[in-house]
Amino acid sequence: MKAINWFAAGMFGLVAVLPAQAATVVDFQDVFQLEDGYGGLSGWNELGSLNSGALPGEQRFHGGTGSLTFDQGGVRLLGMDFVTWTGDMMGGFRLFNDGVQVYEYLQSDWLNDPYWLDIPYAGPVDRIDFISSSDGFLIDNLTYTAAVPEPGQWAMMLGGLALAGFAASRMRSAVKAGG
């Protein structure tokens, strides 16, 4: 039983020292012309362009109806600065994984400037379909991570398993001593 406890403690220690998964932030500040693959996404040129007339450090992406795909496959989309001007229809976006829609956001109020929008869906996403009218939408700071569990989540899981194993071992020892 001691071997199992040592193994669990070793795994916990190993996972605890792994670096956390860094988020990718697509902020458009370091480009003058977008190409597919920028920020790990494809479909930029068909969807829109960088907004013209922006002050330095305030560049955003202006697009219309269309799709962006994540080049690495499924990711966890955390959020983005987003606004759409839609006129009579409701604009927004839909998230997909393996061709199946997993989330939809429709903006219900007329707003002028992008606002941070947390994405409550925590599963993998491999495509974003934007819904807009001729006025389009703006995005900035599109933020995502890999869709696999992060090292901290693994550490908590392994720590919980180690504690459960330790508690079970103590209970067996107490039963043997009493019986």
Side-chain angles (χ1 to χ4, degrees):
M1 187 53 74
K2 284 186 179 183
I4 292 174
N5 290 340
W6 279 107
F7 175 75
M11 291 300 294
F12 177 76
L14 176 66
V15 172
V17 299
L18 292 173
Q21 177 71 33
T24 300
V25 179
V26 183
D27 64 9
F28 311 105
Q29 302 311 310
D30 58 349
V31 295
F32 295 102
Q33 182 175 351
L34 284 174
E35 295 181 15
D36 280 348
Y38 176 73
L41 294 130
S42 293
W44 294 113
N45 294 329
E46 294 82 21
L47 186 60
S49 62
L50 296 173
N51 64 321
S52 59
L55 298 173
E58 294 183 0
Q59 190 157 277
R60 299 172 179 144
F61 180 80
H62 181 227
T65 299
S67 299
L68 288 174
T69 57
F70 290 92
D71 295 340
Q72 68 186 46
V75 302
R76 170 133 190 258
L77 183 60
L78 301 175
M80 66 181 114
D81 290 319
F82 178 82
V83 69
T84 183
W85 308 283
T86 58
D88 295 336
M89 63 180 255
M90 291 178 45
F93 56 88
R94 294 181 179 115
L95 304 179
F96 290 83
N97 187 50
D98 289 331
V100 176
Q101 182 179 325
V102 294
Y103 179 76
E104 179 178 70
Y105 172 78
L106 295 174
Q107 183 178 308
S108 58
D109 297 323
W110 179 270
L111 302 168
N112 288 324
D113 294 316
Y115 56 96
W116 178 256
L117 181 63
D118 284 315
I119 306 299
Y121 174 73
V125 172
D126 58 15
R127 185 178 90 219
I128 307 171
D129 284 1
F130 291 93
I131 310 157
S132 188
S133 69
S134 60
D135 294 329
F137 67 88
L138 284 178
I139 60 171
D140 197 5
N141 300 314
L142 187 140
T143 305
Y144 66 92
T145 63
V148 297
E150 295 188 9
Q153 292 170 320
W154 283 106
M156 287 192 327
M157 181 184 72
L158 289 175
L161 289 173
L163 286 173
F166 178 73
S169 172
R170 299 278 294 175
M171 286 177 66
R172 270 181 267 170
S173 295
V175 168
K176 285 182 182 177

